[in-house]
């Protein structure tokens, strides 16, 4: 187990170093950092001084090492656009994104699991077929289209819910939360639904597939034979055994959701990390881009590694690392 | 040689031997065609996709105006609602945008761009993924290690993030005059880069298995060239999962292109794809001009939906466990 742990940790570290290399290359070679930072009137001497201070005259290996060391300590440099510390900018925006992602995840479980059970239990019924078709539609709907249609229906036509922004927020330490005010909660509804559409169908399909398999097992048949009510067998005995893969999927998908939130955030003008990133892309604000890339990849890799390790802990057969679960893509 | 042998034998008992069926007849006789005919949703999706593709590629012939030709746009035709509305005007079936551009024409031209970028990026990803996967699985050793490690790193970053970064970097490093001209190739590249890994992994797995089998050893012994073994012997053995993945990825590619264009890092407004049209329409969301954004969205959903339905059907039809 220890060997496995070390191997997975080394693997994750390697991937993060590679991502850091990519971020470093982007930072160093696309646009001259000095030209981006100084103002127009800066003299040649000023520029040379800044170049020296940023350490851009050192060898590339030294620079890369320093880049990684700084990043590990949470120092991603200064934003080109508004001259602020990148980490401060991201810290400000992170709660908005995480709250959105959490609510979307909860929605996907609360809606996806029952739908999956229903489609599996009443297989071939009309309801199940409709839901099954609905799940294909759900996978095919681009999340920004869902967002736009929701805004059109519930904000523009009906005027029930806010279609942009985060509403009022309350600060708890550095964490700004929208959960504690009515306008903050109302503002969460549409974006989290639009972010969760894809996820709901994913959970639903997975639960359905797992349930179909579990319903065929002997212990389910035995429970029925013993006279346990059908609904109880389905919703307690069988469902409980389907939840492990669902938890795995949910864990791995959180990284994807954080990345995908940037689309939802753009649609809803949601002041999260994703919006920050898209603005950075528009203004070629490379330190912000590099930091976002590394933070999201870190969350992604950390979650995947954690899931792998949990699996190996639960099921010793997986420890010999021959069958690594393929990475999620989407 | 084997051809003449079978020919001779069939000549001997001529009355009983059926002639070799043509390609079309074999297709009509296949399990796949049977399965297709018995799945109404697959037929529906294929017809829908066919219709979309046909209208998209015939767009210059059937649309009332060329939406890219600025001279054809008249401002007094701007903001006309769809035809069933009281203020609707012929020939603007789905209305016009704020510059007097016919929405239907823009949608058909936009679908063409979306379909071309989607299919090209799948083809590029297939070409790269299949060749790297074959080489990795067949050659093994450090070559395999390097290729698969690069794949691991790509898979450990979210798909959409890689694509955005590539388009952003390309946009930042190209001169403005080239940026719009190269927008489509950049998008194709940006979508292909994160998606080749899946094909490479699939092919590599089966190449590793096949490379150890006796027929491959035999082929090696008689000095068949390595690339020939890979292409003619190993590749055909793993085409089934590849076909399913490619179909589903075609839908994903169209979706990704639309997302990138919607975010503003994709196709520029003067050669809009569906995503660009939705991005433009999104600006008028709160001003009541709903048709500018709704119709391109519907078209995009229909395309992706039909591709996904075909992919779903194909996956079930080619899955031996479900037969």
């Amino acid at each position: 187990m220890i060997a496995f742990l070390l191997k997975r940790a080394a693997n994750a570290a390697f991937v993060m170093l590679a991502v850091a290399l990519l971020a470093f290359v982007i930072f160093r070679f696309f646009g001259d950092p000095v030209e981006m930072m100084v103002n127009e009137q800066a003299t040649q001497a000023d520029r040379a001084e800044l170049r020296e201070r940023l350490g851009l005259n050192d060898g590339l290996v030294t620079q890369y090492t320093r880049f990684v060391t700084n990043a590990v300590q949470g120092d991603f440099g200064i934003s080109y656009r508004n001259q602020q510390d990148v980490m401060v900018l991201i810290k400000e925006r992170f709660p908005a994104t995480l709250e959105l992602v959490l609510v979307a995840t909860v929605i996907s479980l609360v809606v996806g699991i029952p739908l999956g059970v229903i489609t599996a239990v009443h297989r071939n019924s009309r309801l199940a077929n409709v839901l099954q078709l609905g799940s294909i539609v759900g996978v095919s709907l681009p999340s920004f289209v869902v967002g736009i249609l929701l805004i059109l229906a519930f904000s523009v036509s009906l005027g029930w819910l806010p279609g942009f922004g985060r509403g009022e927020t309350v600060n708890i330490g550095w964490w700004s939360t929208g959960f504690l005010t009515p306008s903050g909660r109302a503002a969460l509804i549409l974006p989290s639904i639009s972010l969760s559409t894809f996820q709901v169908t994913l959970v639903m399909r997975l639960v359905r597939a797992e349930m179909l398999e579990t319903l065929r097992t002997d212990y389910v048949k035995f429970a029925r034979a013993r006279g346990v009510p059908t609904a109880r067998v389905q919703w307690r005995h069988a469902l409980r055994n389907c939840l492990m893969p669902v938890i795995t999927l949910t864990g791995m998908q959180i990284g994807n959701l954080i990345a995908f939130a940037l689309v939802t955030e753009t649609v809803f003008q949601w002041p999260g990390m994703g919006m920050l990133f898209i603005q950075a892309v528009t203004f070629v604000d490379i330190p912000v881009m590099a930091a976002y890339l590394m933070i999201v990849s870190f969350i992604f890799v950390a979650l995947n590694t954690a899931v792998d390790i949990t699996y190996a802990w639960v099921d010793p057969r997986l420890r010999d690392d021959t069958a690594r679960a393929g990475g999620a893509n989407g | 040689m084997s051809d003449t042998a079978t020919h001779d034998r069939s000549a001997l008992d001529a009355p009983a031997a059926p002639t070799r069926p043509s390609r079309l007849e074999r297709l009509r006789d296949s399990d796949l065609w049977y399965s297709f005919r018995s799945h109404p949703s697959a037929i529906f999706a294929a017809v829908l996709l066919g219709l979309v593709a046909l209208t998209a590629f015939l767009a210059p012939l059937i649309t009332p105006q060329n939406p890219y030709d600025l001279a054809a746009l008249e401002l007094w035709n701007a903001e006309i609602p769809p035809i069933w509305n009281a203020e609707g005007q012929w020939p603007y079936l789905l209305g016009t945008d704020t510059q007097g551009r016919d929405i239907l024409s823009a949608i058909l031209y936009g679908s063409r761009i979306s379909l071309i970028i989607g299919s090209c990026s799948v083809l590029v990803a297939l070409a790269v993924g299949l060749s790297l996967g074959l080489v990795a699985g067949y050659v093994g050793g450090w070559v395999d290690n390097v290729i698969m490690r690069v794949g691991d790193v790509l898979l450990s970053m979210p798909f959409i993030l890689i694509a955005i970064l590539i388009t952003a970097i390309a946009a930042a490093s190209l001169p403005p005059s080239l940026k719009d001209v190269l927008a489509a190739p950049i998008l194709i590249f940006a979508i292909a880069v994160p998606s080749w890994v899946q094909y490479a992994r699939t092919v590599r797995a089966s190449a590793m298995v096949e490379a150890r089998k006796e027929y491959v050893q035999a082929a090696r012994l008689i000095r068949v060239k390595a690339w020939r073994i890979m292409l003619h012997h190993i590749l055909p053995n793993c085409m089934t999962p590849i076909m399913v993945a490619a179909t589903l990825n075609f839908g994903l590619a169209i979706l990704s292109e639309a997302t990138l264009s919607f975010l503003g890092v994709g196709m520029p407004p003067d050669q809009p794809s569906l995503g660009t049209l939705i991005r433009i329409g999104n600006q008028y969301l709160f001003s009541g001009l709903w048709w500018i954004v709704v119709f391109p969205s519907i078209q995009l959903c229909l395309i992706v939906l039909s591709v996904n339905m075909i992919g779903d059907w194909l996956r079930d039809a080619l899955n031996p466990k479900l037969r």
Side-chain angles (χ1 to χ4, degrees), chain B residues 21-128:
Chain B
S22 76
R23 217 165 245 271
L24 189 72
E25 277 171 304
R26 268 187 293 159
L27 178 72
R28 265 178 33 203
D29 217 28
S30 68
D31 291 348
L32 199 61
W33 180 248
Y34 175 77
S35 156
F36 180 73
R37 275 190 321 181
S38 50
H39 277 78
S41 63
I43 298 177
F44 168 76
V47 169
L48 187 63
L49 191 62
L51 216 61
V52 168
L54 197 69
T55 49
F57 286 95
L58 294 181
L61 301 176
I62 55 177
T63 52
Q65 91 181 185
N66 177 356
Y68 308 142
D69 183 7
L70 290 176
L73 306 183
E74 304 291 358
L75 267 181
W76 59 79
N77 284 334
E79 302 184 17
I80 299 175
I83 192 87
W84 53 86
N85 196 297
E87 292 150 38
Q89 267 177 41
W90 184 259
Y92 308 113
L93 287 176
L94 301 181
T96 61
D97 70 4
T98 50
Q99 295 173 325
R101 191 179 279 130
D102 176 38
I103 300 286
L104 182 62
S105 310
I107 287 177
L108 294 186
Y109 276 82
S111 308
R112 194 161 66 155
I113 295 180
S114 296
L115 287 172
I116 290 175
I117 293 180
S119 39
C120 285
S121 57
V122 170
L123 290 178
V124 172
L126 265 177
V128 175

Side-chain angles (χ1 to χ4, degrees), chain B residues 130-151:
Chain B
L130 294 186
S131 30
L132 288 181
L134 277 176
V135 171
Y138 188 78
V139 178
W142 67 268
V143 178
D144 177 33
N145 236 326
V146 169
I147 294 176
M148 294 330 284
R149 278 298 135 121
V150 172

Side-chain angles (χ1 to χ4, degrees), chain A residues 14-15 18 26 30 136-137 140-142 144-145 148 151-152 205 259 262-263 266-267 277 281 292-293 297 300, chain B residues 149 153 155-158 161 164-165 168-169 255 259 262-263 265 278 285-286 293-294 297 300-301 304-305 308 312:
Chain A
F14 166 79
V15 168
I26 295 172
F30 290 92
I136 303 183
V137 175
S140 310
L141 287 177
F144 61 94
V145 167
I148 290 173
I151 293 178
L152 208 52
R205 286 173 159 220
L262 67 89
V263 180
T266 310
V267 176
F277 175 68
V281 166
Y292 180 82
L293 171 70
S297 300
F300 204 75
Chain B
R149 278 298 135 121
V153 173
L155 280 190
S156 57
M157 287 184 275
L161 199 53
I164 293 177
L165 276 176
I169 292 169
L255 218 57
T259 307
F262 174 76
L263 292 174
V265 290
I278 298 172
L285 203 55
F286 289 93
V293 69
V294 167
S297 307
L300 177 63
C301 295
V304 182
L305 179 65
N308 280 347
D312 258 27

Side-chain angles (χ1 to χ4, degrees), chain A residues 86-246:
Chain A
V86 173
M87 201 55 198
V88 172
L89 282 174
I90 288 192
K91 221 167 153 184
E92 247 171 50
R93 307 293 198 97
F94 185 70
T97 300
L98 197 69
E99 287 187 353
L100 180 60
V101 168
L102 283 182
V103 175
T105 305
V106 171
I107 293 179
S108 71
L109 292 177
V110 169
V111 178
I113 293 177
L115 287 183
V117 175
I118 291 171
T119 46
V121 169
H122 305 289
R123 192 148 77 117
N124 296 330
S125 74
R126 181 164 296 173
L127 177 69
N129 286 337
V130 170
L131 287 176
Q132 196 62 3
L133 189 69
S135 82
I136 303 183
V137 175
V139 176
S140 310
L141 287 177
S143 73
F144 61 94
V145 167
V146 177
I148 290 173
L149 296 182
L150 284 175
I151 293 178
L152 208 52
F154 293 101
S155 304
V156 180
S157 301
L158 298 170
W160 289 351
L161 292 164
F164 58 87
R166 220 187 148 194
E168 274 174 72
T169 55
V170 178
N171 283 336
I172 303 172
W174 62 273
W175 190 276
S176 67
T177 178
F179 286 133
L180 298 177
T181 61
S183 72
R185 285 191 294 262
L188 260 167
I189 297 175
L190 294 183
S192 52
I193 292 178
S194 113
L195 183 59
S196 67
T197 353
F198 183 78
Q199 192 74 5
V200 166
T201 58
L202 220 56
V203 171
M204 170 184 160
R205 286 173 159 220
L206 183 67
V207 170
R208 174 178 182 269
E210 292 288 323
M211 277 294 278
L212 285 179
E213 211 138 278
T214 316
L215 288 176
R216 269 188 234 126
T217 55
D218 288 341
Y219 82 92
V220 168
K221 286 183 192 148
F222 180 68
R224 304 272 294 266
R226 225 176 52 187
V228 180
T230 316
R232 202 182 152 84
V233 174
Q234 289 162 349
W235 291 88
R236 300 222 36 194
H237 297 234
L239 178 60
R240 190 171 289 186
N241 271 285
C242 302
L243 287 183
M244 190 63 192
V246 176

